[in-house]
Amino acid sequence: MAKPDKVNAVAEIADSFRTSSAAVITQYSGLSVSQLTTLRRALGNTASYQVAKNTLVKRAAEDAGVTGLEALFTGPTAIAFVKGEPVDAAKALRDFAKDNKGLVIKGGYMDGRPLTVAEVDQIADLD
């Protein structure tokens, strides 16, 4: 039987997938709590950054109808759920990853389809 806290976590993540204009999947190996806090501040109000267990994220993505990301849910996973225009969030993630090698952008999801790392970089390059 599923535990209520896990059911709630899956529902919350699925809702984030449904209500976000985009999502960027990252790996955050070796980052400290203070570094993650700095990243969250850099994202500002444009995105929320959520660390989650891969099994819960896979189930939430399936519940939300998000497909094509299953291969990205390995290792320490965190997702930036973007509200509104994705350019600022993509720039913040890319710039943070340049300065902090522990953050790796693995891909994303926007407009009903998966994004490659190169496509996330292209979004970050927009004005």
Side-chain angles (χ1 to χ4, degrees), residues 3 10 19 21 28 30 33 39 44-45 50 57 69 72 98 110 118 120:
K3 294 183 180 179
V10 168
T19 60
S21 59
Y28 64 95
V33 172
L39 174 57
N45 295 331
Q50 187 172 357
V57 174
L69 300 178
L72 303 180
K98 283 180 184 176
M110 188 170 81
V120 173

Side-chain angles (χ1 to χ4, degrees), residues 1-77:
M1 179 169 279
K3 294 183 180 179
D5 58 333
K6 291 186 179 182
V7 171
N8 290 339
V10 168
E12 183 181 315
I13 296 166
D15 187 54
S16 292
F17 271 119
R18 285 186 203 100
T19 60
S20 298
S21 59
V24 179
I25 293 82
T26 66
Q27 182 171 319
Y28 64 95
S29 299
L31 294 179
S32 67
V33 172
S34 65
Q35 288 172 311
L36 289 174
T37 301
T38 301
L39 174 57
R40 285 185 173 105
R41 285 188 186 132
L43 290 169
N45 295 331
T46 62
S48 64
Y49 191 70
Q50 187 172 357
V51 174
K53 291 187 174 195
N54 290 319
T55 54
L56 300 180
V57 174
K58 286 177 186 176
R59 182 159 298 160
E62 183 180 310
D63 289 354
V66 174
T67 59
L69 300 178
E70 296 80 13
L72 303 180
F73 302 135
T74 58
T77 300

